[in-house]
Structure formats: C-alpha cells, structure tokens
Amino acid sequence: APFLIAFLRQLDQAPKAPSFQSEPISQPAREGKMEAEKKANIKEEPLTYILFGSTGDLARKKLFPALGALLSKKLIPEHVNVLACGRREKKTEEVLKKQGVKVSEEGQKLLFPRVTYMKNKTADDYKAMNAAIEDYVKKRGGGPDNRVFFFSLPPFAYASTAEMVKKYCYSKTGYTRLILEKPFGRDSDSFKKLAADTGQFFRENELYRIDHYLGKEVVLTLLPLRFSNQIFEPLWNRDHVQSVHIEWKEDLNTMGRGGYFDKYGIIRDIMQNHLLQVLILVGMDKPKSLANDDVAEKKLDLLKAVKTLEMKDTILGQFSAKKYCSYCKETDNPGYLDDETVPNDSKVPTYAMLKLSIDNDRWRGVPFLMSAGKALDERKCEVRIRFKPDKNPIFGSAMESNELVIRIQPDESIYYRVNLKKPGLDVNLLPRVLDLTYSSAFKDASSGDAYERMLLNCALGQQQLFGRYT
C-alpha cells in the first residue's frame, strides 16, 4: 500500500476542508437553459467520435455497443461520424465484423454505415483523418466541427498521440475533447507526468479522465439520494453515523491475467479509483449547484480532509488455492501464485481492507472502511452505512442498529434496515428491510451502460462524471 499511503499523505498536507454546511442546491434557470440547448445542439451539429485502439477488447465489449445504443435511443445525431482507428492497415468491414459482435441488431443498422476505419500511425495518417472529418462537416453543410477522441491506449502512448491530435486534428470551428482511459500511472509522480504530457497540448476542460464507476446507475443516484431527500441529510454526519463500509468483491481469480494485475494490485486496480470515487460521493458536502466547478470543489474539499493512512489501519492478503462446489461438482480454484503469468515470489495484494479517517466537522471520528478482493465468495459492490444505536432505548437494548445499504452491483438496489413491531398482541420488535430493487421499481426503464453516459456526457461537455486534475 505505499502508493496509497503516499497519495493520502500528500492530501493530508493540504488545507483542511471547511465545516459542513446545509446549503440548498440552487440550479439557476440560466444553467438549465444552457443544458437544454446543449442537448438540442448535439442532435443538429456535426459530431465525430474518433476511437483510438478500436481493435482492442474495450472497443469490442463497450465502445461500439455504447455508440450503437446511443444511436438507437436517439441521443446522438443519426448522422454522427465514427472513425475507428488502429496502427495497422485494415478494412472497415473486417473491423466491424469482429468488433461489432456485441452491438444490438438495431444498433448495427444505425452504427455500421457511420463507421470508417483509418490508420493512425504516421503524420500523413492524421492528416488524412482530419481531411475525412472536414469532408463530413462540409457534406453536413458546415457548422461547428465537434470532435471527441477516445484514448483506449496504454498510457505511454498518450503524449505522442495527443501531440499528433493537437498538431493535425484539432478542430478549428468546434470543440476537441479527449477521453482518457485508466490507468493514469502507477503513483503520484507518474500521474503528474501523464498530466503534464497531455496538459502541454490540451486544456484541463478538454481532458476527460474516465472512471466508468461514476457512470453506474446507483452511483449516479448517490447525490440525488442525499440532497433531494430531507430524511437523509440531517442524519448524514458523525452525530448519527457509526461507520461507513464500501466493499467490492469478485468471485473470479486473475484467470491468466495475473501478469497485468501484478503490475498494479488490488489497491491501484480498484480502490484508489473506483472505490475512492464512491467514497467522495458518500462523504462530500453539498455543492452550491450541480455545475462542474461547484461539484469538483466539494469533492476536493473531502479529499483534502482524508488523514494519512497508516499501516496499522491496513490489512493485505493474497488468495491461495481452494476447492469449491460448482453445480454439485467439486472444482479446484488455483491460487494467485499458481498463475503462470505471476512471479513466484510476488507479494502483490489481491485483497485489502483499509480504515480511512476524514478530519472535518461532518465525519470526524467516523471510520470509513474500504475493502476489495478477488477470488472471494461472491461478486458484489455495495456501500453499507450503519447508524448509531439509540442512546436511551425504550424498547430494550437488543435492537439492531439501522443500516442503509446501497448495492451498486449486481442486482442494483437500495434498502434500509429498520426495527418494526411484529404483528400480534405483544410488543416484539424485529429487524426488517425497506427494499427498493431497481429491477422491480423501474421495470420499463433502461439505465444504459456506463460507457454510454461517458461518451454522451463528453459530447455535452459535462465533466461531473470524469476525474479532474487540480
């Protein structure tokens, strides 16, 4: 955990966050009008998505299906221009046949005619790319030449690719935005270098660092749950909350990907990005509005209030071989070190539990537990908020504490454990759950994939769901 310790130590040296205030969220009519105009304009103005790394797994599993879904839902213009880019010569039909297999049938009909494969290796390739985009805009009758570049690339390729985009493919009449896929380096120093490499060519408001957890449906409801329901905000502090536990579990092992995982470990892979983003949304104070800068300010205040993590507040582990029963058949599950791609002497953790402390007036003294692990007993990610017991109980001291559980995946749900009287003549209390399960509460709703939101929000210029460098 040295990286996380160093990361939090840097935060600890920053000024502490101010006391929490109960400010009402006010979203001026001007902002609402601007958002409505953006959504209207995106369907009319020329828009090009340029996918670097379009022949990789992420493009096949997420990016092409997301673009197909956005077209099916009429959230992006039917005339959208998509350039699928790679380092080798390929035919568009060849790429789509392999990379478009997860796109819905309707999505294929709408998306495939809009896709062109282009090589992005040399300066001439980028010049050709720019000419293709300008030709699309010209055929649309002109207008703002809006461009979204998705970097599904290894981080070492960010700087050279960003330089080529800036030099040859930067829009002259519209916006140019870059979506950068994680990991953003191994530690603070490597992140700062990546930030400097891209920052020398693009402004911060043109860089969208993606963390797909911020696009998950239940994560998106954390702020509305907290700040639009008066029952929660008065209780969301150290006076009433006993502990907060953010837990991520996966029942799969590294499955031959141990060589990749061994470079990062569970802390870098899951905790310092996905779970830290969830912690911020659970713990941050109320912003003045939902504008990008107002939300970012409160997120940063929360991070600055996190105290330096010490090893005594850390548990690390690594899964070993075990047997388990699958469909009534005993199966061997190899240990982490049994993976041929993992060094025999690896000490990289596949499990970690941390106790974080937030030194501000809202949370001082409340332990924030964060845990994540592979090859465990189940797959789930949830936030569990335990409230303090009644100091002066009139129904006996054996009552269970109230708990609010926010299940992020799978089976998205929010439930609240309360104590209720059991029907009958006696007054006997039992713990029961007030349950909101998304699959039953929103039967006809389509939540969409996180990458759909990321691709759409970037085109709309909404940065709340992306990481920012301050």
mmCIF file with all atom_site columns, all heavy atoms in Angstrom, residues 35-47:
data_model
loop_
_atom_site.group_PDB
_atom_site.id
_atom_site.type_symbol
_atom_site.label_atom_id
_atom_site.label_alt_id
_atom_site.label_comp_id
_atom_site.label_asym_id
_atom_site.label_entity_id
_atom_site.label_seq_id
_atom_site.pdbx_PDB_ins_code
_atom_site.Cartn_x
_atom_site.Cartn_y
_atom_site.Cartn_z
_atom_site.occupancy
_atom_site.B_iso_or_equiv
_atom_site.pdbx_formal_charge
_atom_site.auth_seq_id
_atom_site.auth_comp_id
_atom_site.auth_asym_id
_atom_site.auth_atom_id
_atom_site.pdbx_PDB_model_num
ATOM 1   N N   . GLU A 1 35 ? -28.091 23.751 -20.569 1.00 0.00 ? 35 GLU A N   1
ATOM 2   C CA  . GLU A 1 35 ? -28.066 22.301 -20.720 1.00 0.00 ? 35 GLU A CA  1
ATOM 3   C C   . GLU A 1 35 ? -29.063 21.860 -21.783 1.00 0.00 ? 35 GLU A C   1
ATOM 4   O O   . GLU A 1 35 ? -28.786 20.957 -22.581 1.00 0.00 ? 35 GLU A O   1
ATOM 5   C CB  . GLU A 1 35 ? -28.381 21.619 -19.375 1.00 0.00 ? 35 GLU A CB  1
ATOM 6   C CG  . GLU A 1 35 ? -27.286 21.786 -18.338 1.00 0.00 ? 35 GLU A CG  1
ATOM 7   C CD  . GLU A 1 35 ? -25.949 21.272 -18.833 1.00 0.00 ? 35 GLU A CD  1
ATOM 8   O OE1 . GLU A 1 35 ? -25.898 20.173 -19.402 1.00 0.00 ? 35 GLU A OE1 1
ATOM 9   O OE2 . GLU A 1 35 ? -24.938 21.969 -18.651 1.00 0.00 ? 35 GLU A OE2 1
ATOM 10  N N   . ALA A 1 36 ? -30.250 22.461 -21.789 1.00 0.00 ? 36 ALA A N   1
ATOM 11  C CA  . ALA A 1 36 ? -31.255 22.116 -22.795 1.00 0.00 ? 36 ALA A CA  1
ATOM 12  C C   . ALA A 1 36 ? -30.747 22.442 -24.203 1.00 0.00 ? 36 ALA A C   1
ATOM 13  O O   . ALA A 1 36 ? -30.959 21.682 -25.154 1.00 0.00 ? 36 ALA A O   1
ATOM 14  C CB  . ALA A 1 36 ? -32.555 22.864 -22.511 1.00 0.00 ? 36 ALA A CB  1
ATOM 15  N N   . GLU A 1 37 ? -30.048 23.578 -24.319 1.00 0.00 ? 37 GLU A N   1
ATOM 16  C CA  . GLU A 1 37 ? -29.506 23.962 -25.623 1.00 0.00 ? 37 GLU A CA  1
ATOM 17  C C   . GLU A 1 37 ? -28.430 22.990 -26.086 1.00 0.00 ? 37 GLU A C   1
ATOM 18  O O   . GLU A 1 37 ? -28.346 22.651 -27.268 1.00 0.00 ? 37 GLU A O   1
ATOM 19  C CB  . GLU A 1 37 ? -28.943 25.386 -25.550 1.00 0.00 ? 37 GLU A CB  1
ATOM 20  C CG  . GLU A 1 37 ? -30.014 26.469 -25.442 1.00 0.00 ? 37 GLU A CG  1
ATOM 21  C CD  . GLU A 1 37 ? -29.429 27.849 -25.241 1.00 0.00 ? 37 GLU A CD  1
ATOM 22  O OE1 . GLU A 1 37 ? -28.194 27.940 -25.038 1.00 0.00 ? 37 GLU A OE1 1
ATOM 23  O OE2 . GLU A 1 37 ? -30.184 28.834 -25.295 1.00 0.00 ? 37 GLU A OE2 1
ATOM 24  N N   . LYS A 1 38 ? -27.595 22.540 -25.144 1.00 0.00 ? 38 LYS A N   1
ATOM 25  C CA  . LYS A 1 38 ? -26.554 21.570 -25.498 1.00 0.00 ? 38 LYS A CA  1
ATOM 26  C C   . LYS A 1 38 ? -27.169 20.287 -26.054 1.00 0.00 ? 38 LYS A C   1
ATOM 27  O O   . LYS A 1 38 ? -26.707 19.728 -27.048 1.00 0.00 ? 38 LYS A O   1
ATOM 28  C CB  . LYS A 1 38 ? -25.704 21.231 -24.265 1.00 0.00 ? 38 LYS A CB  1
ATOM 29  C CG  . LYS A 1 38 ? -24.739 22.315 -23.834 1.00 0.00 ? 38 LYS A CG  1
ATOM 30  C CD  . LYS A 1 38 ? -23.967 21.847 -22.607 1.00 0.00 ? 38 LYS A CD  1
ATOM 31  C CE  . LYS A 1 38 ? -23.044 22.920 -22.069 1.00 0.00 ? 38 LYS A CE  1
ATOM 32  N NZ  . LYS A 1 38 ? -22.340 22.475 -20.844 1.00 0.00 ? 38 LYS A NZ  1
ATOM 33  N N   . LYS A 1 39 ? -28.220 19.790 -25.380 1.00 0.00 ? 39 LYS A N   1
ATOM 34  C CA  . LYS A 1 39 ? -28.844 18.539 -25.813 1.00 0.00 ? 39 LYS A CA  1
ATOM 35  C C   . LYS A 1 39 ? -29.523 18.706 -27.173 1.00 0.00 ? 39 LYS A C   1
ATOM 36  O O   . LYS A 1 39 ? -29.585 17.764 -27.961 1.00 0.00 ? 39 LYS A O   1
ATOM 37  C CB  . LYS A 1 39 ? -29.846 18.077 -24.756 1.00 0.00 ? 39 LYS A CB  1
ATOM 38  C CG  . LYS A 1 39 ? -29.175 17.615 -23.474 1.00 0.00 ? 39 LYS A CG  1
ATOM 39  C CD  . LYS A 1 39 ? -30.172 17.159 -22.435 1.00 0.00 ? 39 LYS A CD  1
ATOM 40  C CE  . LYS A 1 39 ? -29.448 16.698 -21.168 1.00 0.00 ? 39 LYS A CE  1
ATOM 41  N NZ  . LYS A 1 39 ? -30.377 16.272 -20.111 1.00 0.00 ? 39 LYS A NZ  1
ATOM 42  N N   . ALA A 1 40 ? -30.057 19.911 -27.415 1.00 0.00 ? 40 ALA A N   1
ATOM 43  C CA  . ALA A 1 40 ? -30.668 20.166 -28.722 1.00 0.00 ? 40 ALA A CA  1
ATOM 44  C C   . ALA A 1 40 ? -29.595 20.267 -29.806 1.00 0.00 ? 40 ALA A C   1
ATOM 45  O O   . ALA A 1 40 ? -29.741 19.712 -30.898 1.00 0.00 ? 40 ALA A O   1
ATOM 46  C CB  . ALA A 1 40 ? -31.494 21.448 -28.666 1.00 0.00 ? 40 ALA A CB  1
ATOM 47  N N   . ASN A 1 41 ? -28.500 20.949 -29.482 1.00 0.00 ? 41 ASN A N   1
ATOM 48  C CA  . ASN A 1 41 ? -27.440 21.158 -30.473 1.00 0.00 ? 41 ASN A CA  1
ATOM 49  C C   . ASN A 1 41 ? -26.743 19.871 -30.864 1.00 0.00 ? 41 ASN A C   1
ATOM 50  O O   . ASN A 1 41 ? -26.316 19.709 -32.014 1.00 0.00 ? 41 ASN A O   1
ATOM 51  C CB  . ASN A 1 41 ? -26.406 22.156 -29.928 1.00 0.00 ? 41 ASN A CB  1
ATOM 52  C CG  . ASN A 1 41 ? -26.964 23.568 -29.835 1.00 0.00 ? 41 ASN A CG  1
ATOM 53  O OD1 . ASN A 1 41 ? -27.977 23.882 -30.453 1.00 0.00 ? 41 ASN A OD1 1
ATOM 54  N ND2 . ASN A 1 41 ? -26.312 24.407 -29.050 1.00 0.00 ? 41 ASN A ND2 1
ATOM 55  N N   . ILE A 1 42 ? -26.611 18.945 -29.905 1.00 0.00 ? 42 ILE A N   1
ATOM 56  C CA  . ILE A 1 42 ? -25.858 17.720 -30.205 1.00 0.00 ? 42 ILE A CA  1
ATOM 57  C C   . ILE A 1 42 ? -26.536 16.914 -31.305 1.00 0.00 ? 42 ILE A C   1
ATOM 58  O O   . ILE A 1 42 ? -25.888 16.160 -32.030 1.00 0.00 ? 42 ILE A O   1
ATOM 59  C CB  . ILE A 1 42 ? -25.675 16.863 -28.929 1.00 0.00 ? 42 ILE A CB  1
ATOM 60  C CG1 . ILE A 1 42 ? -24.623 15.779 -29.176 1.00 0.00 ? 42 ILE A CG1 1
ATOM 61  C CG2 . ILE A 1 42 ? -26.980 16.212 -28.508 1.00 0.00 ? 42 ILE A CG2 1
ATOM 62  C CD1 . ILE A 1 42 ? -24.315 14.940 -27.968 1.00 0.00 ? 42 ILE A CD1 1
ATOM 63  N N   . LYS A 1 43 ? -27.843 17.070 -31.462 1.00 0.00 ? 43 LYS A N   1
ATOM 64  C CA  . LYS A 1 43 ? -28.556 16.324 -32.496 1.00 0.00 ? 43 LYS A CA  1
ATOM 65  C C   . LYS A 1 43 ? -28.493 17.013 -33.854 1.00 0.00 ? 43 LYS A C   1
ATOM 66  O O   . LYS A 1 43 ? -28.846 16.418 -34.872 1.00 0.00 ? 43 LYS A O   1
ATOM 67  C CB  . LYS A 1 43 ? -30.014 16.119 -32.073 1.00 0.00 ? 43 LYS A CB  1
ATOM 68  C CG  . LYS A 1 43 ? -30.169 15.259 -30.828 1.00 0.00 ? 43 LYS A CG  1
ATOM 69  C CD  . LYS A 1 43 ? -31.627 15.038 -30.476 1.00 0.00 ? 43 LYS A CD  1
ATOM 70  C CE  . LYS A 1 43 ? -31.750 14.184 -29.221 1.00 0.00 ? 43 LYS A CE  1
ATOM 71  N NZ  . LYS A 1 43 ? -33.166 13.946 -28.851 1.00 0.00 ? 43 LYS A NZ  1
ATOM 72  N N   . GLU A 1 44 ? -28.067 18.258 -33.863 1.00 0.00 ? 44 GLU A N   1
ATOM 73  C CA  . GLU A 1 44 ? -28.036 19.023 -35.113 1.00 0.00 ? 44 GLU A CA  1
ATOM 74  C C   . GLU A 1 44 ? -26.616 19.245 -35.621 1.00 0.00 ? 44 GLU A C   1
ATOM 75  O O   . GLU A 1 44 ? -26.357 19.148 -36.820 1.00 0.00 ? 44 GLU A O   1
ATOM 76  C CB  . GLU A 1 44 ? -28.724 20.384 -34.903 1.00 0.00 ? 44 GLU A CB  1
ATOM 77  C CG  . GLU A 1 44 ? -30.182 20.290 -34.469 1.00 0.00 ? 44 GLU A CG  1
ATOM 78  C CD  . GLU A 1 44 ? -31.072 19.630 -35.517 1.00 0.00 ? 44 GLU A CD  1
ATOM 79  O OE1 . GLU A 1 44 ? -30.754 19.737 -36.708 1.00 0.00 ? 44 GLU A OE1 1
ATOM 80  O OE2 . GLU A 1 44 ? -32.068 18.993 -35.136 1.00 0.00 ? 44 GLU A OE2 1
ATOM 81  N N   . GLU A 1 45 ? -25.703 19.553 -34.725 1.00 0.00 ? 45 GLU A N   1
ATOM 82  C CA  . GLU A 1 45 ? -24.348 19.914 -35.137 1.00 0.00 ? 45 GLU A CA  1
ATOM 83  C C   . GLU A 1 45 ? -23.541 18.690 -35.561 1.00 0.00 ? 45 GLU A C   1
ATOM 84  O O   . GLU A 1 45 ? -23.779 17.581 -35.069 1.00 0.00 ? 45 GLU A O   1
ATOM 85  C CB  . GLU A 1 45 ? -23.633 20.626 -33.985 1.00 0.00 ? 45 GLU A CB  1
ATOM 86  C CG  . GLU A 1 45 ? -24.278 21.951 -33.593 1.00 0.00 ? 45 GLU A CG  1
ATOM 87  C CD  . GLU A 1 45 ? -23.623 22.564 -32.367 1.00 0.00 ? 45 GLU A CD  1
ATOM 88  O OE1 . GLU A 1 45 ? -22.796 21.881 -31.737 1.00 0.00 ? 45 GLU A OE1 1
ATOM 89  O OE2 . GLU A 1 45 ? -23.945 23.735 -32.047 1.00 0.00 ? 45 GLU A OE2 1
ATOM 90  N N   . PRO A 1 46 ? -22.574 18.860 -36.445 1.00 0.00 ? 46 PRO A N   1
ATOM 91  C CA  . PRO A 1 46 ? -21.678 17.749 -36.794 1.00 0.00 ? 46 PRO A CA  1
ATOM 92  C C   . PRO A 1 46 ? -20.943 17.234 -35.561 1.00 0.00 ? 46 PRO A C   1
ATOM 93  O O   . PRO A 1 46 ? -20.498 18.017 -34.717 1.00 0.00 ? 46 PRO A O   1
ATOM 94  C CB  . PRO A 1 46 ? -20.701 18.394 -37.784 1.00 0.00 ? 46 PRO A CB  1
ATOM 95  C CG  . PRO A 1 46 ? -21.434 19.571 -38.346 1.00 0.00 ? 46 PRO A CG  1
ATOM 96  C CD  . PRO A 1 46 ? -22.293 20.083 -37.223 1.00 0.00 ? 46 PRO A CD  1
ATOM 97  N N   . LEU A 1 47 ? -20.828 15.929 -35.447 1.00 0.00 ? 47 LEU A N   1
ATOM 98  C CA  . LEU A 1 47 ? -20.157 15.301 -34.304 1.00 0.00 ? 47 LEU A CA  1
ATOM 99  C C   . LEU A 1 47 ? -19.384 14.080 -34.790 1.00 0.00 ? 47 LEU A C   1
ATOM 100 O O   . LEU A 1 47 ? -19.953 13.200 -35.450 1.00 0.00 ? 47 LEU A O   1
ATOM 101 C CB  . LEU A 1 47 ? -21.180 14.886 -33.244 1.00 0.00 ? 47 LEU A CB  1
ATOM 102 C CG  . LEU A 1 47 ? -20.645 14.063 -32.065 1.00 0.00 ? 47 LEU A CG  1
ATOM 103 C CD1 . LEU A 1 47 ? -19.620 14.867 -31.257 1.00 0.00 ? 47 LEU A CD1 1
ATOM 104 C CD2 . LEU A 1 47 ? -21.787 13.605 -31.159 1.00 0.00 ? 47 LEU A CD2 1
#
